[in-house]
Amino acid sequence: MRLFTGVSGGMVAWLIPATVLLAVVGLVLLGRRRGEGASVVRAAIVASGGSLLLTGAVSSAMAGIYHDYYTVALTPFLGITLALGLGVAWAYRERAWVRGSLAASAVATGALAVFYTSEAGGIYAVVGWVALAALILAAGGLAFAPATALALTRATLTLGMVGALLSPASFALQTAATPHSGSIVTAGPIKAGMGGRGGPGGGGVGGRRNEGAPDGSGTSRSGAAGGGGLLNGAEVSHDLAVALTSDASDEAAHEKRESVSR
């Protein structure tokens, strides 16, 4: 799937597996429970989770023009669904299968952290392994959550949240610290072609992937401008440049004649 590869993956996919898993767990736990509270939460999970899946499916399958920054459309649904599913699962953590689901979501998030940070390389790869270690420890703590002291349970939750957010936070800091230019924006240190005209998984104009995604300097691996204009349109042909210059000169001369005649 496009959302789990390249720049798109590093921008949005970190928490998608955990979110989907916990949303399913939440719906199973709520089942057909009656009561205003259960009905509202169940409806919210269905609405936000359905919107997440629909938006993700469209982003993954869409042909034509696609850019990695389109993934921002998933973020509100991702956050809402994860919060609801996690809240319901935590409320029923006394059940063994629920604790197992929580642990599985933590490990899956850690595995994705290692995958994306390894693509970025350098210090990010170290951050990914640290995140995985933290999430494995958190998963172990979650397995015994009902039987542990309150302080240890809080420590487990804190460790899980830090581990889940550590790698995305490192990508966010890199994005904030790196100058960007052009109309096609990306986030994070993963270098891959920016989306463009083409079918699922494709990119670049005419289905050809641009191998020189922005690295913060606005240049591509091939040395050409990578983000200076829409669809890599930073340069124009000589004939067009002459025509535009000529038109501008004629307009300036016309305005000068009018000002003199006044």
Side-chain angles (χ1 to χ4, degrees), residues 169-217:
S170 70
F171 275 40
L173 289 174
Q174 187 274 344
T175 303
T178 303
H180 293 78
S181 62
S183 57
I184 301 175
V185 295
T186 57
I190 294 179
K191 296 179 177 63
M194 292 183 298
R197 198 174 292 277
V205 179
R208 176 179 58 82
R209 177 166 286 280
N210 175 5
E211 295 296 336
D215 58 3
S217 62

mmCIF file of all heavy atoms in Angstrom, residues 169-217:
data_model
loop_
_atom_site.group_PDB
_atom_site.id
_atom_site.type_symbol
_atom_site.label_atom_id
_atom_site.label_comp_id
_atom_site.label_asym_id
_atom_site.label_seq_id
_atom_site.Cartn_x
_atom_site.Cartn_y
_atom_site.Cartn_z
ATOM 1 N N ALA A 169 8.285 11.977 16.504
ATOM 2 C CA ALA A 169 8.742 13.280 16.998
ATOM 3 C C ALA A 169 10.094 13.643 16.408
ATOM 4 O O ALA A 169 10.353 14.813 16.080
ATOM 5 C CB ALA A 169 8.827 13.261 18.522
ATOM 6 N N SER A 170 10.976 12.647 16.235
ATOM 7 C CA SER A 170 12.285 12.931 15.638
ATOM 8 C C SER A 170 12.134 13.381 14.188
ATOM 9 O O SER A 170 12.855 14.265 13.722
ATOM 10 C CB SER A 170 13.183 11.697 15.724
ATOM 11 O OG SER A 170 12.737 10.654 14.860
ATOM 12 N N PHE A 171 11.178 12.791 13.470
ATOM 13 C CA PHE A 171 10.912 13.214 12.095
ATOM 14 C C PHE A 171 10.317 14.624 12.074
ATOM 15 O O PHE A 171 10.641 15.433 11.204
ATOM 16 C CB PHE A 171 9.944 12.237 11.419
ATOM 17 C CG PHE A 171 10.610 11.040 10.811
ATOM 18 C CD1 PHE A 171 11.665 10.407 11.448
ATOM 19 C CD2 PHE A 171 10.181 10.529 9.599
ATOM 20 C CE1 PHE A 171 12.281 9.298 10.891
ATOM 21 C CE2 PHE A 171 10.787 9.427 9.023
ATOM 22 C CZ PHE A 171 11.844 8.804 9.677
ATOM 23 N N ALA A 172 9.451 14.917 13.038
ATOM 24 C CA ALA A 172 8.838 16.240 13.103
ATOM 25 C C ALA A 172 9.890 17.308 13.394
ATOM 26 O O ALA A 172 9.873 18.393 12.795
ATOM 27 C CB ALA A 172 7.754 16.261 14.176
ATOM 28 N N LEU A 173 10.820 17.016 14.293
ATOM 29 C CA LEU A 173 11.883 17.966 14.610
ATOM 30 C C LEU A 173 12.781 18.201 13.401
ATOM 31 O O LEU A 173 13.204 19.334 13.138
ATOM 32 C CB LEU A 173 12.703 17.450 15.797
ATOM 33 C CG LEU A 173 12.003 17.479 17.156
ATOM 34 C CD1 LEU A 173 12.862 16.797 18.212
ATOM 35 C CD2 LEU A 173 11.693 18.915 17.569
ATOM 36 N N GLN A 174 13.072 17.128 12.657
ATOM 37 C CA GLN A 174 13.893 17.290 11.453
ATOM 38 C C GLN A 174 13.196 18.173 10.437
ATOM 39 O O GLN A 174 13.832 19.020 9.796
ATOM 40 C CB GLN A 174 14.191 15.912 10.838
ATOM 41 C CG GLN A 174 15.174 15.915 9.690
ATOM 42 C CD GLN A 174 14.526 16.186 8.335
ATOM 43 O OE1 GLN A 174 13.310 16.091 8.192
ATOM 44 N NE2 GLN A 174 15.340 16.515 7.351
ATOM 45 N N THR A 175 11.904 18.003 10.310
ATOM 46 C CA THR A 175 11.137 18.811 9.360
ATOM 47 C C THR A 175 11.136 20.284 9.771
ATOM 48 O O THR A 175 11.331 21.170 8.945
ATOM 49 C CB THR A 175 9.690 18.299 9.281
ATOM 50 O OG1 THR A 175 9.698 16.915 8.907
ATOM 51 C CG2 THR A 175 8.888 19.084 8.262
ATOM 52 N N ALA A 176 10.936 20.532 11.059
ATOM 53 C CA ALA A 176 10.894 21.915 11.548
ATOM 54 C C ALA A 176 12.255 22.601 11.429
ATOM 55 O O ALA A 176 12.328 23.815 11.235
ATOM 56 C CB ALA A 176 10.428 21.939 12.996
ATOM 57 N N ALA A 177 13.327 21.826 11.515
ATOM 58 C CA ALA A 177 14.674 22.405 11.497
ATOM 59 C C ALA A 177 15.256 22.526 10.091
ATOM 60 O O ALA A 177 16.339 23.089 9.928
ATOM 61 C CB ALA A 177 15.606 21.560 12.362
ATOM 62 N N THR A 178 14.558 21.991 9.088
ATOM 63 C CA THR A 178 15.087 21.980 7.722
ATOM 64 C C THR A 178 14.350 22.987 6.853
ATOM 65 O O THR A 178 13.123 22.947 6.773
ATOM 66 C CB THR A 178 14.929 20.577 7.100
ATOM 67 O OG1 THR A 178 15.597 19.622 7.933
ATOM 68 C CG2 THR A 178 15.524 20.528 5.702
ATOM 69 N N PRO A 179 15.081 23.895 6.195
ATOM 70 C CA PRO A 179 14.414 24.840 5.280
ATOM 71 C C PRO A 179 13.782 24.102 4.103
ATOM 72 O O PRO A 179 14.371 23.163 3.573
ATOM 73 C CB PRO A 179 15.565 25.744 4.808
ATOM 74 C CG PRO A 179 16.677 25.534 5.792
ATOM 75 C CD PRO A 179 16.534 24.131 6.276
ATOM 76 N N HIS A 180 12.601 24.516 3.710
ATOM 77 C CA HIS A 180 11.910 23.931 2.571
ATOM 78 C C HIS A 180 11.445 25.037 1.634
ATOM 79 O O HIS A 180 11.236 26.169 2.053
ATOM 80 C CB HIS A 180 10.692 23.108 3.015
ATOM 81 C CG HIS A 180 11.033 21.886 3.787
ATOM 82 N ND1 HIS A 180 11.387 21.921 5.133
ATOM 83 C CD2 HIS A 180 11.095 20.580 3.430
ATOM 84 C CE1 HIS A 180 11.641 20.687 5.550
ATOM 85 N NE2 HIS A 180 11.463 19.860 4.540
ATOM 86 N N SER A 181 11.310 24.704 0.381
ATOM 87 C CA SER A 181 10.815 25.666 -0.599
ATOM 88 C C SER A 181 9.980 24.928 -1.632
ATOM 89 O O SER A 181 10.044 23.709 -1.733
ATOM 90 C CB SER A 181 11.981 26.386 -1.290
ATOM 91 O OG SER A 181 12.786 25.462 -2.008
ATOM 92 N N GLY A 182 9.209 25.684 -2.379
ATOM 93 C CA GLY A 182 8.406 25.073 -3.428
ATOM 94 C C GLY A 182 6.985 24.815 -2.987
ATOM 95 O O GLY A 182 6.625 24.965 -1.822
ATOM 96 N N SER A 183 6.183 24.378 -3.928
ATOM 97 C CA SER A 183 4.758 24.186 -3.678
ATOM 98 C C SER A 183 4.411 22.762 -3.271
ATOM 99 O O SER A 183 3.293 22.495 -2.847
ATOM 100 C CB SER A 183 3.967 24.545 -4.946
ATOM 101 O OG SER A 183 4.420 23.749 -6.030
ATOM 102 N N ILE A 184 5.337 21.825 -3.393
ATOM 103 C CA ILE A 184 5.077 20.428 -3.057
ATOM 104 C C ILE A 184 5.874 20.099 -1.810
ATOM 105 O O ILE A 184 7.091 20.013 -1.851
ATOM 106 C CB ILE A 184 5.459 19.488 -4.217
ATOM 107 C CG1 ILE A 184 4.664 19.867 -5.456
ATOM 108 C CG2 ILE A 184 5.207 18.043 -3.833
ATOM 109 C CD1 ILE A 184 5.044 19.092 -6.691
ATOM 110 N N VAL A 185 5.202 19.946 -0.690
ATOM 111 C CA VAL A 185 5.879 19.814 0.596
ATOM 112 C C VAL A 185 5.887 18.369 1.068
ATOM 113 O O VAL A 185 4.973 17.595 0.782
ATOM 114 C CB VAL A 185 5.202 20.705 1.654
ATOM 115 C CG1 VAL A 185 5.351 22.156 1.288
ATOM 116 C CG2 VAL A 185 3.717 20.351 1.793
ATOM 117 N N THR A 186 6.932 18.019 1.790
ATOM 118 C CA THR A 186 7.029 16.712 2.427
ATOM 119 C C THR A 186 7.580 16.913 3.828
ATOM 120 O O THR A 186 8.053 17.987 4.180
ATOM 121 C CB THR A 186 7.955 15.761 1.648
ATOM 122 O OG1 THR A 186 9.255 16.365 1.511
ATOM 123 C CG2 THR A 186 7.403 15.455 0.271
ATOM 124 N N ALA A 187 7.518 15.864 4.639
ATOM 125 C CA ALA A 187 8.013 15.938 6.006
ATOM 126 C C ALA A 187 8.869 14.719 6.300
ATOM 127 O O ALA A 187 8.618 13.629 5.796
ATOM 128 C CB ALA A 187 6.845 16.015 6.983
ATOM 129 N N GLY A 188 9.874 14.915 7.132
ATOM 130 C CA GLY A 188 10.726 13.810 7.545
ATOM 131 C C GLY A 188 11.941 13.637 6.668
ATOM 132 O O GLY A 188 12.029 14.176 5.567
ATOM 133 N N PRO A 189 12.915 12.865 7.148
ATOM 134 C CA PRO A 189 14.187 12.699 6.438
ATOM 135 C C PRO A 189 14.198 11.612 5.376
ATOM 136 O O PRO A 189 15.214 11.429 4.701
ATOM 137 C CB PRO A 189 15.153 12.342 7.573
ATOM 138 C CG PRO A 189 14.299 11.611 8.561
ATOM 139 C CD PRO A 189 12.945 12.266 8.496
ATOM 140 N N ILE A 190 13.122 10.846 5.213
ATOM 141 C CA ILE A 190 13.113 9.788 4.198
ATOM 142 C C ILE A 190 13.116 10.428 2.822
ATOM 143 O O ILE A 190 12.321 11.320 2.529
ATOM 144 C CB ILE A 190 11.885 8.871 4.350
ATOM 145 C CG1 ILE A 190 11.971 8.101 5.668
ATOM 146 C CG2 ILE A 190 11.792 7.894 3.177
ATOM 147 C CD1 ILE A 190 10.796 7.188 5.912
ATOM 148 N N LYS A 191 14.022 9.983 1.966
ATOM 149 C CA LYS A 191 14.139 10.526 0.619
ATOM 150 C C LYS A 191 13.519 9.548 -0.364
ATOM 151 O O LYS A 191 13.926 8.408 -0.460
ATOM 152 C CB LYS A 191 15.601 10.769 0.246
ATOM 153 C CG LYS A 191 16.291 11.820 1.103
ATOM 154 C CD LYS A 191 17.738 11.985 0.679
ATOM 155 C CE LYS A 191 18.410 13.090 1.490
ATOM 156 N NZ LYS A 191 18.470 12.761 2.924
ATOM 157 N N ALA A 192 12.516 10.008 -1.080
ATOM 158 C CA ALA A 192 11.875 9.210 -2.121
ATOM 159 C C ALA A 192 11.209 10.172 -3.062
ATOM 160 O O ALA A 192 11.095 11.358 -2.783
ATOM 161 C CB ALA A 192 10.864 8.225 -1.532
ATOM 162 N N GLY A 193 10.743 9.661 -4.210
ATOM 163 C CA GLY A 193 10.141 10.548 -5.188
ATOM 164 C C GLY A 193 8.847 11.135 -4.693
ATOM 165 O O GLY A 193 8.058 10.471 -4.045
ATOM 166 N N MET A 194 8.632 12.403 -4.993
ATOM 167 C CA MET A 194 7.362 13.020 -4.671
ATOM 168 C C MET A 194 6.292 12.456 -5.575
ATOM 169 O O MET A 194 6.566 12.065 -6.704
ATOM 170 C CB MET A 194 7.439 14.537 -4.870
ATOM 171 C CG MET A 194 8.342 15.216 -3.869
ATOM 172 S SD MET A 194 8.320 16.973 -4.090
ATOM 173 C CE MET A 194 8.956 17.119 -5.742
ATOM 174 N N GLY A 195 5.067 12.421 -5.064
ATOM 175 C CA GLY A 195 3.968 11.878 -5.854
ATOM 176 C C GLY A 195 3.705 12.724 -7.080
ATOM 177 O O GLY A 195 4.031 13.891 -7.148
ATOM 178 N N GLY A 196 3.069 12.141 -8.071
ATOM 179 C CA GLY A 196 2.731 12.884 -9.267
ATOM 180 C C GLY A 196 1.711 12.129 -10.057
ATOM 181 O O GLY A 196 0.930 11.362 -9.526
ATOM 182 N N ARG A 197 1.734 12.305 -11.360
ATOM 183 C CA ARG A 197 0.737 11.668 -12.200
ATOM 184 C C ARG A 197 1.082 10.196 -12.373
ATOM 185 O O ARG A 197 2.191 9.856 -12.743
ATOM 186 C CB ARG A 197 0.709 12.368 -13.566
ATOM 187 C CG ARG A 197 -0.548 12.078 -14.353
ATOM 188 C CD ARG A 197 -0.547 12.934 -15.603
ATOM 189 N NE ARG A 197 -0.707 14.345 -15.287
ATOM 190 C CZ ARG A 197 -1.869 14.917 -15.081
ATOM 191 N NH1 ARG A 197 -2.974 14.209 -15.125
ATOM 192 N NH2 ARG A 197 -1.955 16.210 -14.807
ATOM 193 N N GLY A 198 0.125 9.326 -12.099
ATOM 194 C CA GLY A 198 0.376 7.908 -12.231
ATOM 195 C C GLY A 198 -0.590 7.117 -11.387
ATOM 196 O O GLY A 198 -1.337 7.669 -10.595
ATOM 197 N N GLY A 199 -0.564 5.798 -11.504
ATOM 198 C CA GLY A 199 -1.485 4.952 -10.779
ATOM 199 C C GLY A 199 -0.971 4.654 -9.395
ATOM 200 O O GLY A 199 0.005 5.229 -8.940
ATOM 201 N N PRO A 200 -1.600 3.725 -8.687
ATOM 202 C CA PRO A 200 -1.216 3.387 -7.334
ATOM 203 C C PRO A 200 0.246 2.985 -7.269
ATOM 204 O O PRO A 200 0.716 2.157 -8.044
ATOM 205 C CB PRO A 200 -2.137 2.201 -6.994
ATOM 206 C CG PRO A 200 -3.311 2.404 -7.870
ATOM 207 C CD PRO A 200 -2.778 2.996 -9.140
ATOM 208 N N GLY A 201 0.947 3.583 -6.312
ATOM 209 C CA GLY A 201 2.352 3.254 -6.142
ATOM 210 C C GLY A 201 3.239 4.011 -7.075
ATOM 211 O O GLY A 201 4.461 3.982 -6.940
ATOM 212 N N GLY A 202 2.667 4.683 -8.052
ATOM 213 C CA GLY A 202 3.477 5.417 -9.005
ATOM 214 C C GLY A 202 3.684 6.822 -8.546
ATOM 215 O O GLY A 202 3.126 7.282 -7.586
ATOM 216 N N GLY A 203 4.496 7.529 -9.281
ATOM 217 C CA GLY A 203 4.744 8.907 -8.918
ATOM 218 C C GLY A 203 5.427 9.590 -10.058
ATOM 219 O O GLY A 203 5.770 8.982 -11.059
ATOM 220 N N GLY A 204 5.630 10.873 -9.893
ATOM 221 C CA GLY A 204 6.266 11.629 -10.949
ATOM 222 C C GLY A 204 5.288 11.910 -12.064
ATOM 223 O O GLY A 204 4.183 11.399 -12.109
ATOM 224 N N VAL A 205 5.691 12.724 -13.001
ATOM 225 C CA VAL A 205 4.816 13.068 -14.111
ATOM 226 C C VAL A 205 4.756 11.901 -15.079
ATOM 227 O O VAL A 205 5.769 11.312 -15.432
ATOM 228 C CB VAL A 205 5.329 14.334 -14.817
ATOM 229 C CG1 VAL A 205 4.443 14.685 -15.978
ATOM 230 C CG2 VAL A 205 5.397 15.492 -13.821
ATOM 231 N N GLY A 206 3.548 11.564 -15.529
ATOM 232 C CA GLY A 206 3.385 10.484 -16.487
ATOM 233 C C GLY A 206 3.659 9.116 -15.911
ATOM 234 O O GLY A 206 3.986 8.179 -16.634
ATOM 235 N N GLY A 207 3.537 8.976 -14.575
ATOM 236 C CA GLY A 207 3.749 7.683 -13.939
ATOM 237 C C GLY A 207 5.197 7.412 -13.648
ATOM 238 O O GLY A 207 5.528 6.372 -13.105
ATOM 239 N N ARG A 208 6.109 8.331 -13.971
ATOM 240 C CA ARG A 208 7.527 8.117 -13.693
ATOM 241 C C ARG A 208 7.846 8.721 -12.348
ATOM 242 O O ARG A 208 7.564 9.874 -12.083
ATOM 243 C CB ARG A 208 8.391 8.786 -14.778
ATOM 244 C CG ARG A 208 9.887 8.686 -14.495
ATOM 245 C CD ARG A 208 10.669 9.342 -15.637
ATOM 246 N NE ARG A 208 10.288 10.738 -15.804
ATOM 247 C CZ ARG A 208 10.785 11.732 -15.056
ATOM 248 N NH1 ARG A 208 11.622 11.479 -14.080
ATOM 249 N NH2 ARG A 208 10.414 12.985 -15.286
ATOM 250 N N ARG A 209 8.477 7.947 -11.496
ATOM 251 C CA ARG A 209 8.798 8.446 -10.170
ATOM 252 C C ARG A 209 10.023 9.341 -10.237
ATOM 253 O O ARG A 209 11.022 8.997 -10.836
ATOM 254 C CB ARG A 209 9.074 7.286 -9.206
ATOM 255 C CG ARG A 209 9.483 7.782 -7.819
ATOM 256 C CD ARG A 209 9.421 6.681 -6.794
ATOM 257 N NE ARG A 209 8.055 6.359 -6.441
ATOM 258 C CZ ARG A 209 7.328 7.063 -5.595
ATOM 259 N NH1 ARG A 209 7.810 8.130 -5.043
ATOM 260 N NH2 ARG A 209 6.096 6.699 -5.321
ATOM 261 N N ASN A 210 9.896 10.478 -9.583
ATOM 262 C CA ASN A 210 11.016 11.401 -9.469
ATOM 263 C C ASN A 210 11.947 10.884 -8.390
ATOM 264 O O ASN A 210 11.605 10.839 -7.227
ATOM 265 C CB ASN A 210 10.485 12.795 -9.088
ATOM 266 C CG ASN A 210 11.595 13.792 -8.827
ATOM 267 O OD1 ASN A 210 12.768 13.474 -9.016
ATOM 268 N ND2 ASN A 210 11.214 14.979 -8.397
ATOM 269 N N GLU A 211 13.154 10.481 -8.768
ATOM 270 C CA GLU A 211 14.061 9.870 -7.823
ATOM 271 C C GLU A 211 14.760 10.884 -6.928
ATOM 272 O O GLU A 211 15.592 10.523 -6.136
ATOM 273 C CB GLU A 211 15.142 9.067 -8.589
ATOM 274 C CG GLU A 211 14.580 7.887 -9.360
ATOM 275 C CD GLU A 211 13.966 6.860 -8.426
ATOM 276 O OE1 GLU A 211 14.354 6.813 -7.243
ATOM 277 O OE2 GLU A 211 13.098 6.109 -8.864
ATOM 278 N N GLY A 212 14.436 12.132 -7.065
ATOM 279 C CA GLY A 212 15.142 13.138 -6.282
ATOM 280 C C GLY A 212 14.209 13.934 -5.410
ATOM 281 O O GLY A 212 13.967 15.104 -5.666
ATOM 282 N N ALA A 213 13.695 13.334 -4.397
ATOM 283 C CA ALA A 213 12.804 14.060 -3.501
ATOM 284 C C ALA A 213 13.589 15.106 -2.743
ATOM 285 O O ALA A 213 14.793 14.996 -2.568
ATOM 286 C CB ALA A 213 12.156 13.088 -2.531
ATOM 287 N N PRO A 214 12.903 16.131 -2.254
ATOM 288 C CA PRO A 214 13.599 17.191 -1.540
ATOM 289 C C PRO A 214 14.349 16.663 -0.337
ATOM 290 O O PRO A 214 13.855 15.819 0.392
ATOM 291 C CB PRO A 214 12.461 18.124 -1.094
ATOM 292 C CG PRO A 214 11.357 17.831 -2.030
ATOM 293 C CD PRO A 214 11.483 16.387 -2.377
ATOM 294 N N ASP A 215 15.557 17.149 -0.139
ATOM 295 C CA ASP A 215 16.330 16.777 1.038
ATOM 296 C C ASP A 215 16.516 17.965 1.966
ATOM 297 O O ASP A 215 17.391 17.982 2.816
ATOM 298 C CB ASP A 215 17.702 16.216 0.642
ATOM 299 C CG ASP A 215 18.506 17.216 -0.188
ATOM 300 O OD1 ASP A 215 18.012 18.340 -0.393
ATOM 301 O OD2 ASP A 215 19.621 16.864 -0.616
ATOM 302 N N GLY A 216 15.667 18.976 1.775
ATOM 303 C CA GLY A 216 15.754 20.167 2.585
ATOM 304 C C GLY A 216 16.372 21.315 1.819
ATOM 305 O O GLY A 216 16.191 22.476 2.143
ATOM 306 N N SER A 217 17.158 21.016 0.775
ATOM 307 C CA SER A 217 17.788 22.072 0.000
ATOM 308 C C SER A 217 16.988 22.414 -1.232
ATOM 309 O O SER A 217 17.323 23.324 -1.978
ATOM 310 C CB SER A 217 19.190 21.619 -0.422
ATOM 311 O OG SER A 217 19.114 20.475 -1.242
#
